[in-house]
Each structure stands twice: as C-alpha cells, then as structure tokens.
Amino acid sequence: MAADGFAPVLAALTTMQSSADQARKLQAHTFLEAFQKSPEAWTSTHTILSSPDVPLEAKLFAATTLKGKIIYDLDQIPRNSLLQLRDSLLLALSEFRSGPRPIRTQLCVCLANLAIQMTEWKDVLPYVGSRLGSSAGDCILEFLQVLPEEVTEGRKINLTDEDLFSRTKELLGDNTPYVMTLLVQYSKSSASAAVNPRLLECMTAWLREIPAADIVKSPLLDVIVNGLSSDTSFEASVDCLCAIYRDTMDVDESFETIQLLYPKIVALQPKIAEAADQQDTDALKGITRVFAEAGEAWVVMIVRLPDEFRGLIEAILECCARDQDREAISLTFLFWNEFKQMITVERYERARAKFGDIFAKLVDIMIKHLEFPSPEGPTDIDLFGGDRVQEEKFREFRHAMGDVLKDCCEVITVTECLGKAFNLIQDWVATYASHSTANHVPHWQQLEAPLFAMRAMGRMVSPEESVVMHQLIPLIVQIPDHEKLRFQAIMALGRYTEWTAQHPEFLQQQLNFVIAGFDHPSGEVVRASALAFRFFGTECRKLLKEHCVPLHRFYESILDKLPQVSQDDLTEGVSYVVSAQPSERIYETLKLYCDPIVERLKIRANHAKIDQNEISLHALSDTLILLNIFTNNVQPYYAPTEENQAVKYCQEILPVLSAVADNFTDNVNILERICKCWRTMIFSYRTAVFPLLADLANQLAKGFQDSRAGCFLWVTDAILREFADGQEFVEPGTTEAIYAFFEQQAIAFLRIMDQMSPGDIPDVIEDFFRLLIDALIYYNHQFIPAAICGPTLSAAIASLVLQQEGPLIMTLHYIRDFLSYGTDRPTSSRFGEMSNAARQPSAAELQKIVKDLIVIQGEALVQRTLAGMMFTFPRDCLQDASGILIALFELMPQQTALWFGGTIATLPAGSVKTGEADKIMNNIAAKVQEGDMRKLKAVLQDFTISYRRRNVAPRDGLLGAPEPARFRYKG
C-alpha cells in the first residue's frame, strides 16, 4: 500500500473522481491546491511516481504537480540540490519511457523547464540521451520536441530577458547541428523509425531553429515526403511540410530551397485522385493542405514564374474539383485570395493572362459546389436529413465560396464571371422551365446555385455594366415560385440596387417582384423581401421619392405583419426615401411616416405598463427602434439660419419619449432605446438640436437620478462633445450651461457610488468614465480645477476592484488620461483654442493640480493598480494598468517607489520569494534613473505576472489580495 505521507492526496483524488457531493469535492479540491504549493509536494510527487501500486491517474496528477513546482516554485529547493532533482526526473522518465504517454509528456515538460532554469547545466541534450539510452527512442524524441516549445514559452519562467535569451541560444541555437545529426541517424536506424510520427513532430518543433534549407538538403526531406504514403505518419508529415513552407516565404532568400522542394511537391499530385477515389476525406484534406499552403508561401514566386509553377496551381484546382464532400476545399480559400491580390498587381499582368483559364475553371467549380444536396426522398423539405449542424456548416461554407467568386471577378472581370452564372440560369430555363409546376420544380438546385453566385458577386458589378445585367434581370423576375429560388432571386436583386439606380427602366419590374414576396407563405422569403427593399430604398431613393405617399400606404399595411428584423429593414428602406424629399417637405413627410409609429408607441407603452410582461415590453422596445431609424437616416441640410424641419419634428415627439422614460425607470432596455433615440438626434442634427437642449438636459438629469441607468450618460456625453467650447455656432453661455449640466450628472453618479459598491453598477461605471474621458478632452480647463475632480479620481480608484473587462478598461483609460495632464504631454491639449472662454488655467497650473491630487491619492492608486495586476485584472487590462504605474514613476519617481515598496510589504508572507522584493525595487530604481520606461514596464509586468502565476492563477483563487477601501462622497 502507498506510504502514509501521500495517502491524503490519493484520498482527495479519489473523492474528486467519485460521485461525492459538491461540498466534499470542494474540500478535496482545496486540499489538493494547498498540497501543490507546499514544499512537501517535491518529495510526495516523486514517491507517488515511483510507487508501483498507485493508480495511473494519481501518477499523472503527480507529474502535473511536479511540472508546476518546477515552473513556479523552484526557489523552494536549494541550488545545490538541482542536480539531484535532475537525476530523479531522468530516472522517472526512464521508468515511463514506454508510456503512458500523458505521464511521459508531463515529465518531459518538467525536464525541459528545469533545463531552462538550471543555467549551470550545459550538456543538456547529450546528457539526456546518454541517461535514457538508445532503447528510449520515442522518449528522447518527445523531449526534443518539448524543449523548443517550452523555451519559446519561456516568459512564464522567472528569468530576466537577458538570461532567457542566453539560455535559448545555449539550448537551441548551439544544439542545431547535434539535433540534425541525431534525427538523421534515427531515421536511418529502421524502417519503422523512418515513419515514426514522433520523429516528424520533433522535426516540426525544431524548424523554429533549424533552417528549412538544412532539412531540404538532408536525407530528412525524403523521410518527410515518404511519410505521406504511410497512414501512421501522414498527418505529421503534412504538418512538417507546412512548417518548412513557412520558413521559405522569403522566396528570394529561399529560391534554391524552393527549387529543390518544388519537384517533390508537384510529384504528389496523383495522391489527390487516389484520396478522392477512396473517399478518404482526411487524406484529401491533408494533401490539399500540402498544395494550398505551398501556394500561400510561394505566391510571389508563382506570379513571377507562372510557367514554372503552373503545376502547383493546377494541383490546387484539382483539389477543389475532386472534393465532392466539400471538406477540403475551404483549405484553399486563403490561397486563392492571396493569389488574387498578387496577380492583379499591374507588374504581374503576364501571370494574370497565363492563369486566366485557371480562374475561369475555378468559377465553374465553385458554382457547382454551391448546389444544395439532392433529397433522398420524394420531397425536398429536409435536404440534410435533420442534421442542423451540417446545414449551418453548408450555409457558412457557401458564403466563404462567395468570397472566392469575388476574387475571380477581379482577375478575369466581373462580366465573364457573371456571364457564367447567366449561362447556367439560361440553360436551366431552356431545359426545365417548361416542366415546372406550382408544386414541383425539377432540379431546382442547378438554378439556385447560379442565383446565389450572382448574389455573391453583386458587390463587384459596376453600375455601368452593360453586357449581362440587361439580359439577366428580366430572366430572374420570371423564375418559378419555389421557396429557395424565390428567396435567392430576391436576395440577388437586392445586391444590384446600385446598378438599378443607374438603369431606372429596370426598377419597376424588380420592385413588383420584391413587394410580391411580402405576401409569400415562406417566412424566409418575406425576410428576404424586407432586406432587399432596404437596399432599394437606400440606393434608389431619388427614383422613389415621388412615390412617398403610396409607399407609405404599403408601409402601414405591411409593417405589423412582419417580424421585428424585417420591420427594421423595411423601415430603413422607407426612411431613406423620406430623406430624399425636398427640405421644405421633410417635416410633413416625417409626420406622415412617424406619427403612426408614435401612436403605436403610446398604445404599447400603456399596454406594457399594465401587463408588465416580456411580450409587451419587447413590442415597446421594438417600436422605439423604428423611430431611431428615421432620426438616424433622415438628415436634411439646412443653413445655420434656417429652422431644421427634422429637429422641429423631434421637438414634437420629445415629450412622448420623456413620458415613456418616466414610466419605465426600472427597465434598462426601454431606457437604453429611448436614450439611443436622443443620442441619434444629437449625432444627426449636431448643433441644430439647440432648441431641444433645455428640455432634454432636464430629462437626462431626472432620468439618471431616478433610474441610475448609464444610458443617460451616453446622451450627456454626446451633448458634451457637440457643444464643446470652440465648436462652430456654439455661444459661450451654452458652453457654460453644458458644463454645469455635466457637473450635475457627475455629482449624481458620485452619490450613487457612495451608496452602492462598484460590483453592483459596472455598466454605469463604464459609461461614466467614458463621459469623463471626453470631459478631459473638451473641458479640461474647467474640470481639473473643479471640486469634483478629486472625488472622481477616488471613484476611479475604487472602481479598480472590478473584474469585468469593459468597465475596467474605461476606468484605466480615464486615469491614464488624467495623469497625462500632470505632464507636458496631455492626452488632448486645447490651450489657446477656446474661442469662447474667459481666462483659462495654464498648462503649468493644471500640472500642479494633478500632482497635488496624486500626492493625496497616489498611494491608494498604486495599491489598487498593483493589486489588480497581481490578482484580479483580466489579461487585456495589464497594459493600461502598467501604463498608470509608469506615468506615476515619471511624475513622482521617489514617492511612487515608496508606495510601490509599501504595497509589496503588505502581501501575504511567503507569496514573494526571498530577496525578490529587494530585487524588484533595485530594478525599478535603476530603470527610473536611466529613464528607460520601456524596460521599466517590462520589469513591472514580469513581476506581477510571475507573482500571479505562482500565487493566484491557475492554482487558486484571489488569496491575499489587499482589501480595497470603500468609496465615500461627502459633496
């Protein structure tokens, strides 16, 4: 039986794997985490690994724990004991040289990480090879594979950049000749060795260090290529070849290597047909990778030497043509795009001419692959046999193929590509149209595919196209009434509205076809009709503007019958038609279209207030979206002295929106929709919204106080920016009033922060500090000297306890921007630009105010920022957090160093290694004295990341994080 020393560990592991209750599992998990950090784990893990009667699961846990100890806790072992640790690892690895592989892999990782940190160990590879012996081939190969991977990830090791660079050279750069010799010898040792996937995986790993040219010129190239003929080594050979390609992307430098490699690659082309005939999907995907990634790497060489490299392009095309299951073809899409980008450059016009036939064939292949599968039964209700995953995959795949068709249009002209789709449509009409009935359309897939292709290529067609479109449009509007055909035809017409705008004689027949789709029994066809009408309204607004009244009758008759997304699309279309009206008719036309929507809004608001159910609330929210669409798209031009007719209408509906906001202060979704309408008004009509300002500001202040919803701050921010000091047509009194309004909102927020913890209002915090960032840009001369500036900095520091990325990033950005005003490089400098301002504080005065505030709050800022970096901040916040510390070191180096050292001193005992605190402080002092802020940033990030890995992630929770102070506001 296992020794008593690790019996509790085995018991805890048994509990974790059993059906015990969550409380017992949590207790076991906590125990195992503590065990992993303890010094006793060094001995226990070795004992577990060497005990014959311990389960394999426990041995895997021991090997994983040992890996963590070596990476994070190597300082727990005296330096003179590392040799003993190395030899014990090699002994364990020798015992597991034949497997199980997971344990062997973990031990290889252990040994690799020890080798990285044990800088006095100079003969790593020869020593490991001699200790493991010639019988441990797979084990040695796996260690060789792991070593470069672990060195590349060496930032998790607690070494300086200089030490890591030096150790990388010793372990990898200096050992490449040795590894090459070893790999060649092993490949020749036996027939099975030559197709061992471990050998190929090892080669792939070492291609980070060994130049591809050395591999290609050695016997190893034949090993890699021959490996493609073995099921055992096929996948590893593909990966290795692709790694070689990546090292030859500089085609001028690698020309000789490519010359040696290319014939062997092209000679593999028969394998395409072989894999396709055997219906071996994995083999076809692998061989497609071999050709496609070669094309990606050598695309520059291909366009320079089109004749010499045509074989490679033909092989890639064959991969596309033979992939009947559509599993491998997507691997070629990146190549076709990069090839297109190169071949359309003017200097490669010769290559473009040479490969024109290839792209013409590619269009045919792609359109064929676009076809829906044929149903197995008598109906085509379910084309995928109920497999929704396959159906969704096919839809996504089609859109990706559409991008390839666009690439083809750029190479061989859109007219030729469009002509191919037109010919297929024409052929179908000639062959099957007469056999179509209301209930049956034969071989509809062959018609739907070119319709989809036409839709995909729509963006590429010029409004001046005069060869195909004149014939194609009349043909499309006569296709049979099959659901998928009607859907695709309507969607295709929606892509050609820019062309239609230049050819008005084709508008009516298309509009009739699209509008008829609104009455189709298929929901998909109805949605397609609404989306297509959106594009017609957008592009053909000038052609439709005289039909505003009948269009309104249609809009009103159909709107409530549509799903919400289609209501939005249809409204987008009609709103653009409204925007095309003469300026003197904007007001009456807006009333015509929007008054019925406002009436719906009132009715639905009453229903929602009474019913208080999700359906009523959603209906109210959706109605607000429609109003927002009109204010967003109807932006008429008026001279500054003229009354803006759109604003005049907005004044009429403002009381209605305000009343709805007052009645739904507890529904954030409704409030956000209303605030979005208000913000859109400001963005659309700019300073022309001045007549709305007084009432709108009062409503924003009241709404924020009543609801505590951050959306009211969105609108405040929009007003703040639009009416900033120095903006055209803004009076000084207006600017002062706007700033006073901003302060009122800021004080309301600070009072909310006083009453609630940051974790309760993360979204409001994000919106508030976004507002403050703009306040610093546009009103820094008023805001920084103001009484609320200090409390807002305190609120920002208090908000750093959050763990949500969005609010944190906005808070960190605000603090960085604020600190910049303590330097001569503020984020935004507008000194001397404020045309309306009275005497403003100078840059020096603002710098002094900022520094005075840092003296008061700097210690708390350092503590909270450093605690966040070590314990709680998401990874994407670390750059901004370290930027704050850098800014503080620039502003007050000595004081910040004291605050930094004081914060480290408060960390839990044992969480900082012996001497580490002194080392980090000395490094900081040196970098500050040198003025090298880039290296200082690296020092700070290395320390915090290392601390976090050892003490927080991934082995436990937020243990030891300093307790933050609660924000209080007495203003």
Side-chain angles (χ1 to χ4, degrees):
M1 180 57 196
D4 293 340
F6 58 81
V9 175
L10 299 183
L13 286 171
T14 301
T15 301
M16 291 296 294
Q17 295 164 5
S18 70
S19 57
D21 58 55
Q22 285 300 112
R24 288 183 60 201
K25 286 191 173 184
L26 180 61
Q27 185 180 8
H29 183 264
T30 303
F31 170 79
L32 291 173
E33 284 183 327
F35 164 75
Q36 286 182 314
K37 288 184 178 182
S38 68
E40 293 75 23
W42 290 106
T43 304
S44 298
T45 50
H46 280 86
T47 308
I48 291 172
L49 286 168
S50 60
S51 298
D53 53 348
V54 171
L56 289 176
E57 291 82 0
K59 293 190 176 188
L60 179 58
F61 172 77
T64 305
T65 298
L66 193 54
K67 177 188 72 175
K69 299 297 288 181
I70 291 172
I71 293 173
Y72 303 121
D73 300 330
L74 197 62
D75 62 303
Q76 292 177 349
I77 294 182
R79 198 74 193 177
N80 57 12
S81 299
L82 293 184
L83 288 174
Q84 182 182 349
L85 173 61
R86 178 195 67 184
D87 292 342
S88 65
L89 276 175
L90 284 165
L91 180 62
L93 193 53
S94 180
E95 292 177 3
F96 289 97
R97 62 182 178 273
S98 301
R101 192 179 175 192
I103 298 176
R104 187 180 73 197
T105 300
Q106 291 298 319
L107 291 174
C108 285
V109 174
C110 289
L111 190 59
N113 280 284
L114 178 63
I116 296 169
Q117 297 179 80
M118 192 174 166
T119 53
E120 61 270 31
W121 183 14
K122 302 300 181 183
D123 59 340
V124 174
L125 298 187
Y127 188 82
V128 170
S130 64
R131 285 294 304 269
L132 294 177
S134 58
S135 62
D138 275 7
C139 186
I140 294 174
L141 286 172
E142 184 156 16
F143 174 72
L144 284 175
Q145 177 190 346
V146 161
L147 183 62
E149 293 170 353
E150 292 301 308
V151 172
T152 304
E153 295 296 321
R155 279 310 333 133
K156 65 187 176 185
I157 299 295
N158 192 26
L159 291 178
T160 65
D161 287 342
E162 293 81 3
D163 289 344
L164 183 60
F165 179 81
S166 173
R167 194 59 176 155
T168 299
K169 182 178 180 298
E170 289 178 354
L171 291 175
L172 303 184
D174 295 347
N175 276 318
T176 53
Y178 176 84
V179 172
M180 274 290 294
T181 302
L182 194 66
L183 295 176
V184 171
Q185 289 176 348
Y186 179 81
S187 69
K188 293 179 177 179
S189 62
S190 67
S192 60
V195 292
N196 186 346
R198 302 288 91 74
L199 169 66
L200 293 155
E201 289 165 358
C202 185
M203 271 191 265
T204 302
W206 275 86
L207 273 164
R208 305 168 191 225
E209 297 297 324
I210 300 174
D214 292 355
I215 299 283
V216 171
K217 293 174 184 176
S218 75
L220 293 174
L221 178 60
D222 288 333
V223 172
I224 299 168
V225 173
N226 294 337
L228 294 169
S229 300
S230 166
D231 291 341
T232 305
S233 57
F234 177 81
E235 187 176 343
S237 291
V238 171
D239 289 338
C240 193
L241 266 178
C242 292
I244 290 175
Y245 297 154
R246 287 191 287 274
D247 199 37
T248 61
M249 291 180 71
D250 187 336
V251 294
D252 292 317
E253 183 180 294
S254 306
F255 183 68
E256 183 183 351
T257 304
I258 296 170
Q259 282 185 311
L260 294 172
L261 190 55
Y262 179 74
K264 293 185 178 292
I265 300 304
V266 174
L268 297 170
Q269 188 168 355
K271 289 187 175 294
I272 302 172
E274 180 184 326
D277 293 342
Q278 294 175 1
Q279 297 184 336
D280 188 338
T281 301
D282 290 336
L284 184 58
K285 288 170 70 174
I287 203 67
T288 299
R289 271 190 70 198
V290 167
F291 289 115
E293 294 196 29
E296 292 167 22
W298 304 336
V299 66
V300 175
M301 190 67 75
I302 294 169
V303 294
R304 288 181 186 171
L305 302 170
D307 294 324
E308 290 81 347
F309 283 86
R310 185 177 178 88
L312 177 60
I313 306 304
E314 289 177 342
I316 299 173
L317 187 72
E318 184 181 349
C319 291
C320 296
R322 290 186 177 275
D323 182 22
Q324 298 305 311
D325 295 330
R326 306 182 185 94
E327 292 288 341
I329 190 172
S330 61
L331 298 170
T332 70
F333 291 167
L334 178 60
F335 163 72
W336 293 120
N337 180 257
E338 293 188 352
F339 191 28
K340 177 267 299 184
Q341 291 184 51
M342 292 301 302
I343 207 171
T344 51
V345 174
E346 186 176 352
R347 66 185 295 186
Y348 299 126
E349 189 63 38
R350 176 173 166 269
R352 184 174 184 173
K354 290 275 188 181
F355 290 118
D357 63 314
I358 294 286
F359 279 91
K361 291 174 184 175
L362 182 62
V363 173
D364 296 331
I365 291 168
M366 290 294 162
I367 294 179
K368 186 64 181 173
H369 279 310
L370 286 172
E371 290 183 11
F372 271 96
S374 298
E376 296 181 1
T379 67
D380 52 22
I381 294 175
D382 193 341
L383 301 171
F384 295 89
D387 190 338
R388 294 292 166 257
V389 174
Q390 277 300 111
E391 183 175 1
E392 185 58 32
K393 184 178 177 182
F394 177 68
R395 291 180 188 277
E396 292 175 0
F397 167 75
R398 295 180 104 203
H399 288 288
M401 283 200 293
D403 292 335
V404 178
L405 288 172
K406 295 185 186 78
D407 293 336
C408 294
C409 288
E410 292 193 53
V411 178
I412 59 173
T413 76
V414 69
T415 297
E416 183 174 347
C417 295
L418 204 59
K420 287 178 174 291
F422 170 66
N423 290 336
L424 289 169
I425 294 172
Q426 204 171 35
D427 290 347
W428 187 94
V429 170
T431 307
Y432 300 113
S434 59
H435 304 290
S436 299
T437 66
N439 299 318
H440 177 66
V441 179
H443 302 285
W444 61 266
Q445 293 92 337
Q446 296 177 25
L447 175 58
E448 195 272 349
L451 284 171
F452 182 93
M454 177 191 163
R455 168 188 166 192
M457 294 184 285
R459 186 169 59 84
M460 310 303 296
V461 176
S462 165
E464 286 75 40
E465 204 284 329
S466 58
V467 178
V468 180
M469 292 300 297
H470 292 77
Q471 306 171 70
L472 190 54
I473 294 297
L475 201 59
I476 288 177
V477 297
Q478 298 179 50
I479 66 160
D481 189 18
H482 180 281
E483 177 187 358
K484 292 195 181 299
L485 295 177
R486 191 65 176 261
F487 171 82
Q488 212 55 257
I490 290 173
M491 291 294 285
L493 292 178
R495 292 296 179 93
Y496 290 87
T497 52
E498 191 176 348
W499 182 89
T500 303
Q502 302 298 319
H503 301 83
E505 66 273 21
F506 292 92
L507 174 61
Q508 192 61 53
Q509 57 185 311
Q510 292 183 74
L511 267 184
N512 292 341
F513 187 77
V514 169
I515 289 174
F518 283 97
D519 296 323
H520 200 280
S522 166
E524 281 207 0
V525 173
V526 172
R527 285 191 290 273
S529 299
L531 182 59
F533 191 90
R534 171 182 177 176
F535 296 130
F536 275 100
T538 303
E539 300 295 342
C540 303
R541 67 185 86 172
K542 293 181 180 178
L543 300 177
L544 293 170
K545 68 179 181 180
E546 300 302 327
H547 305 281
C548 219
V549 174
L551 183 58
H552 172 255
R553 288 196 293 269
F554 164 72
Y555 177 67
E556 275 297 307
S557 68
I558 200 71
L559 184 65
D560 293 330
K561 301 175 184 178
L562 300 176
Q564 181 57 38
V565 65
S566 297
Q567 289 188 25
D568 295 349
D569 287 333
L570 180 60
T571 303
E572 286 275 355
V574 299
S575 68
Y576 278 110
V577 177
V578 172
S579 73
Q581 300 302 303
S583 59
E584 64 272 12
R585 290 176 54 191
I586 288 291
Y587 173 74
E588 63 183 71
T589 311
L590 272 175
K591 280 188 70 66
L592 177 68
Y593 277 86
C594 294
D595 275 0
I597 296 175
V598 173
E599 287 305 311
R600 287 182 178 88
L601 182 65
K602 294 176 183 177
I603 294 169
R604 290 171 180 176
N606 289 332
H607 288 167
K609 192 66 178 174
I610 295 168
D611 300 342
Q612 289 294 323
N613 61 46
E614 287 299 313
I615 296 175
S616 298
L617 291 169
H618 275 302
L620 175 59
S621 175
D622 294 342
T623 309
L624 289 163
I625 293 174
L626 302 183
L627 275 180
N628 187 65
I629 290 171
F630 277 100
T631 55
N632 186 61
N633 295 338
V634 182
Q635 300 182 24
Y637 172 77
Y638 294 93
T641 55
E642 294 182 280
E643 181 184 29
N644 189 306
Q645 298 292 301
V647 173
K648 179 182 177 182
Y649 185 74
C650 289
Q651 281 183 281
E652 290 186 8
I653 65 173
L654 180 62
V656 178
L657 295 175
S658 298
V660 175
D662 289 341
N663 280 284
F664 292 90
T665 53
D666 58 342
N667 191 299
V668 174
N669 184 47
I670 300 296
L671 294 176
E672 286 184 351
R673 297 295 187 199
I674 294 170
C675 287
K676 188 175 182 180
C677 282
W678 288 335
R679 187 173 62 165
T680 301
M681 292 175 189
I682 295 164
F683 289 156
S684 293
Y685 310 125
R686 315 297 295 255
T687 53
V689 299
F690 179 76
L692 298 176
L693 274 189
D695 292 339
L696 183 56
N698 289 334
Q699 185 59 42
L700 293 174
K702 181 177 183 298
F704 184 49
Q705 290 177 5
D706 292 347
S707 69
R708 299 181 174 183
C711 54
F712 290 96
L713 300 179
W714 304 349
V715 195
T716 304
D717 192 12
I719 294 173
L720 200 70
R721 278 182 284 167
E722 203 56 52
F723 290 87
D725 195 6
Q727 298 284 20
E728 195 175 12
F729 310 121
V730 178
E731 297 294 326
T734 303
T735 301
E736 292 170 8
I738 295 297
Y739 178 76
F741 164 57
F742 155 72
E743 275 209 0
Q744 182 183 358
Q745 296 289 71
I747 290 170
F749 171 81
L750 295 173
R751 287 176 177 154
I752 293 170
M753 273 282 286
D754 181 64
Q755 299 166 15
M756 304 180 75
S757 69
D760 296 329
I761 51 170
D763 294 338
V764 184
I765 287 173
E766 181 176 358
D767 296 326
F768 178 68
F769 287 110
R770 184 182 287 109
L771 169 64
L772 283 195
I773 289 171
D774 280 335
L776 276 177
I777 293 173
Y778 298 107
Y779 292 87
N780 51 70
H781 56 286
Q782 291 172 274
F783 174 58
I784 292 176
I788 62 164
C789 187
T792 56
L793 180 60
S794 300
I797 295 170
S799 299
L800 296 181
V801 299
L802 292 170
Q803 297 180 43
Q804 295 96 325
E805 190 172 301
L808 261 180
I809 286 180
M810 204 55 61
T811 306
L812 293 168
H813 283 185
Y814 165 69
I815 296 173
R816 292 190 70 178
D817 288 356
F818 174 76
L819 294 177
S820 75
Y821 285 90
T823 71
D824 56 3
R825 304 182 309 279
T827 303
S828 173
S829 178
R830 293 165 58 85
F831 300 115
E833 297 177 17
M834 293 74 167
S835 59
N836 299 326
R839 191 268 174 191
Q840 304 298 341
S842 66
E845 289 173 317
L846 292 185
Q847 289 172 19
K848 183 179 185 305
I849 295 170
V850 170
K851 289 177 180 177
D852 289 344
L853 283 172
I854 294 172
V855 168
I856 298 169
Q857 303 193 43
E859 184 173 11
L861 177 57
V862 170
Q863 288 178 349
R864 195 60 252 153
T865 304
L866 195 54
M869 292 178 71
M870 291 190 292
F871 293 95
T872 60
F873 287 172
R875 179 174 295 277
D876 287 346
C877 295
L878 297 182
Q879 286 277 21
D880 285 312
S882 58
I884 288 173
L885 295 178
I886 296 295
L888 289 170
F889 275 111
E890 285 186 291
L891 286 169
M892 297 180 174
Q894 295 180 344
Q895 191 64 52
T896 303
L898 288 174
W899 294 332
F900 191 96
T903 302
I904 291 178
T906 65
L907 295 172
S911 63
V912 179
K913 297 178 181 179
T914 305
E916 189 177 10
D918 292 337
K919 182 180 178 182
I920 181 71
M921 293 309 299
N922 290 335
N923 279 342
I924 288 172
K927 300 301 183 267
V928 169
Q929 188 172 1
E930 295 167 8
D932 192 338
M933 294 302 151
R934 185 185 62 81
K935 287 188 177 179
L936 175 59
K937 187 175 186 178
V939 168
L940 293 173
Q941 289 189 344
D942 286 351
F943 168 72
T944 53
I945 290 172
S946 173
Y947 182 93
R948 190 167 185 156
R949 284 198 176 108
R950 291 197 313 271
N951 298 285
V952 183
R955 297 187 291 176
D956 63 21
L958 310 178
L959 301 179
E963 188 68 27
R966 177 70 184 270
F967 172 78
R968 292 297 180 208
Y969 179 62
K970 304 300 182 185

